[in-house]
Amino acid sequence: MLHALPAHVARPAYDRTQLQPGIVHIGPGAFHRAHQAAFIDTLLHDDPRWAITAIALRSRDTTDTLRAQDGLFTLKTLGPASWTRVIGAIRDAFSAQDDPSGTLTALGAPATRLITLTITEKGYCLDGNGQLDLSHPDIVHDIARPDAPRSAIGWLVAGLARRKAAGTPPPVVMSCDNLTDNGSRLREAVVRLARQSDTGLAGWIERHTLFPRTMVDSITPASDPAFLDALESELGTRDDAAVCREVFTSWVIENLDCEPVAALGRAGAVLTSDVRGHALAKLRVLNGAHSALAWMGLALGYQRVSEAIADDWLGASIAEMIGQEILPGLAPVQGLDPDAYAQGVLARFANPAISHKLSQIAWDSSQKLPVRLLGTVADNLQAGRPVVHLARAAAAWMRFVVRAAREGWALTDPLQETLLVAGRDCTGDPAGDTARFLEMEQVFPPGLARNPDFRSALSRGYGDILKLERGLRP
Ligand code: CS2
């Protein structure tokens, strides 16, 4: 494949036959391939010991495609100064369902010094308080069958158990998902599950395994057929594992003293002790605004991020939400100028070269709303700051669900059934409809759901969204 590509396409300059496995990655979706795999590809030019074994937990489509291409895939950036590059970092790829024993072998191998995860918010199986949900069906299964897990948390526990039994030191385990305090959440979830079957193992994990916090950032739309077809014309060959993203990319990692973190620092990740600050700013500003834009943009009939942010009223409203309701609650972060950061985020949303569907951002909204917006709402209510825009965004999510229920579209959301039942109960009355959604404890912490200021802001926001649906601006 490589020698036939046009000259402008960059390709690995290292000898792929010399690669050695060093990383197991769980969840090789588009974001992993566009982000972490590109950093690792850079690292492999200096150190061949960090090749990735990519393991999919659910669908085997991506890993099958990657295997058929010897792990190679194309990364294309979109916008000014864009480039096209073949990434060679994935050395092996398979699905855990097809090869459970290969999965355990990879997780347990002494050469595996780092396990990374991009499994999205729902993959962590957390409850409304951010703890592992012991009643989640996959976790119930994994407690009964720790030797044949289904969840990512279950696989991690099984892999760590194998290492403990063999006297192999634990790897560094790194969440690369948009969760508040992702490293601590993952550590707590793994330890909690391990404790159900083996308290000795739980203690060993707590004492010996590092779970650094991270912040990952690069806008990565799904690879749609239009992108894949255009790339095929550019390359002269079809690549069904290709991914695209904006040029901007950032990986901030807690600077724990260990070999994998130092190696990622050499590959371009920023190592710092204040990942929490960076991650919270990114989650609340970028992801919070992204979700708000998606729900409100869809109410106005837009389909893509760049179109929605170009709407004068909506663009101004998102900027006000960030400036008046999100930035004032963020603690100072070294090396981060909040206003410049916010401006940069809005400029990135406006990139017309990226065809990023609002409906893609709206996937799994029930998991995203709490981590992206409700934490800010709770902080603002406590500090006496406004929640007008934040509540309107939450109301826009409710209306998104109501329209799905009325118009019969499927929701891509782990709470789909509960949401559609609630959506069908709604009558268009702001107070009644918002109260119906506030009953969902998986989404709204009870203390927040009872707060009268939040309830009235939500009702008003809901009324605003009803106007938007009719093409009127509040
Ligand atoms: C987006 C994110 O789909 C979404 O929910 O908000 O994937 C976002 O593009 C990335 O976090 C940017 O780093």
Side-chain angles (χ1 to χ4, degrees):
M1 165 185 172
L2 288 179
H3 60 274
L5 292 174
H8 73 275
V9 179
R11 55 206 90 188
Y14 49 86
D15 179 356
R16 289 189 82 232
T17 64
Q18 297 303 309
L19 292 182
Q20 298 159 37
I23 301 174
V24 168
H25 180 77
I26 302 183
F31 186 73
H32 167 70
R33 306 204 298 287
H35 183 273
Q36 300 106 65
F39 281 88
I40 306 302
D41 190 66
T42 301
L43 176 62
L44 292 173
H45 285 86
D46 294 324
D47 186 344
R49 300 171 310 129
W50 296 99
I52 301 171
T53 301
I55 301 182
L57 294 190
R58 314 227 169 264
S59 153
R60 61 177 64 85
D61 297 355
T62 300
T63 46
D64 282 356
T65 308
L66 281 168
R67 244 198 346 275
Q69 303 184 171
D70 192 24
L72 294 169
F73 65 92
T74 316
L75 167 60
K76 183 173 176 64
T77 55
L78 305 166
S82 69
W83 40 258
T84 308
R85 166 175 164 192
V86 174
I87 303 292
I90 296 183
R91 187 175 162 275
D92 199 2
F94 54 88
S95 97
Q97 277 169 0
D98 290 345
D99 191 356
S101 86
T103 302
L104 262 188
T105 304
L107 292 170
T112 301
R113 278 109 60 222
L114 174 65
I115 299 176
T116 51
L117 298 98
T118 48
I119 52 175
T120 77
E121 297 84 349
K122 64 176 178 283
Y124 292 81
C125 307
L126 304 179
D127 63 18
N129 298 315
Q131 283 204 326
L132 185 74
D133 180 358
L134 296 178
S135 65
H136 187 293
D138 289 353
I139 300 300
V140 171
H141 171 275
D142 291 356
I143 292 171
R145 293 290 315 273
D147 55 320
R150 265 190 206 148
S151 71
I153 308 299
W155 278 111
L156 288 175
V157 171
L160 288 164
R162 172 173 283 218
R163 294 176 91 105
K164 177 171 180 280
T168 306
V172 170
V173 185
M174 192 180 284
S175 163
C176 298
D177 282 294
N178 294 313
L179 285 183
T180 324
D181 221 353
N182 56 10
S184 317
R185 285 283 191 283
L186 178 58
R187 176 169 41 75
E188 285 160 18
V190 169
V191 168
R192 188 157 205 226
L193 182 59
R195 197 170 290 131
Q196 305 308 308
S197 53
D198 182 346
T199 50
L201 174 63
W204 182 82
I205 296 172
E206 268 184 314
R207 282 192 304 282
H208 300 295
T209 310
L210 297 177
F211 292 84
R213 301 180 174 97
T214 68
M215 190 284 295
V216 291
D217 191 7
S218 196
I219 292 177
T220 305
S223 299
D224 60 15
F227 162 69
L228 295 174
D229 291 350
L231 188 72
E232 181 171 356
S233 311
E234 178 183 333
L235 301 179
T237 181
R238 182 78 179 180
D239 178 358
D240 281 315
V243 284
C244 55
R245 64 156 160 89
E246 61 180 339
V247 176
F248 178 90
T249 188
S250 161
W251 193 358
V252 181
I253 302 175
E254 189 173 13
N255 58 359
L256 302 182
D257 182 18
C258 57
E259 193 202 5
V261 168
L264 294 177
R266 291 197 300 281
V270 173
L271 309 185
T272 168
S273 56
D274 187 14
V275 177
R276 265 179 211 244
H278 283 275
L280 201 65
K282 192 257 168 173
L283 200 56
R284 291 188 170 190
V285 176
L286 189 153
N287 296 113
H290 235 178
S291 288
L293 187 68
W295 301 320
M296 295 207 277
L298 289 166
L300 280 165
Y302 292 116
Q303 295 199 357
R304 290 171 213 283
V305 171
S306 55
E307 295 159 12
I309 199 74
D311 179 284
D312 288 343
W313 177 85
L314 186 49
S317 155
I318 295 289
E320 275 173 25
M321 179 180 83
I322 298 174
Q324 297 170 8
E325 300 184 7
I326 298 179
L327 296 183
L330 291 176
V333 182
Q334 212 191 354
L336 191 103
D337 171 347
D339 293 312
Y341 179 66
Q343 288 311 317
V345 164
L346 293 174
R348 288 164 61 195
F349 289 179
N351 182 352
I354 299 196
S355 168
H356 198 183
K357 287 201 180 131
L358 299 172
S359 58
Q360 181 193 337
I361 298 170
W363 290 344
D364 295 341
S365 286
S366 69
Q367 314 289 299
K368 292 176 178 175
L369 175 67
V371 290
R372 296 179 174 200
L373 291 165
L374 297 184
T376 313
V377 170
D379 289 354
N380 284 14
L381 290 169
Q382 205 180 6
R385 284 188 296 267
V387 296
V388 176
H389 291 282
L390 296 161
R392 190 194 275 153
W397 167 65
M398 296 172 180
R399 288 299 305 169
F400 168 72
V401 173
V402 173
R403 292 196 304 280
R406 293 231 173 111
E407 293 163 27
W409 353 298
L411 280 178
T412 303
D413 197 300
L415 292 189
Q416 140 155 249
E417 280 163 36
T418 315
L419 294 174
L420 292 177
V421 170
R424 279 193 286 270
D425 287 346
C426 289
T427 61
D429 163 51
D433 290 1
T434 51
R436 178 68 184 83
F437 278 95
L438 286 170
E439 288 166 14
M440 291 176 198
E441 287 189 15
Q442 308 98 309
V443 180
F444 295 97
L448 183 63
R450 280 194 301 269
N451 184 296
D453 294 333
F454 182 48
R455 292 178 83 95
S456 62
L458 260 182
S459 283
R460 273 198 304 279
Y462 196 91
D464 292 343
I465 306 301
L466 292 174
K467 286 192 193 139
L468 287 189
E469 287 174 350
R470 298 201 308 274
L472 305 171
R473 308 298 191 264

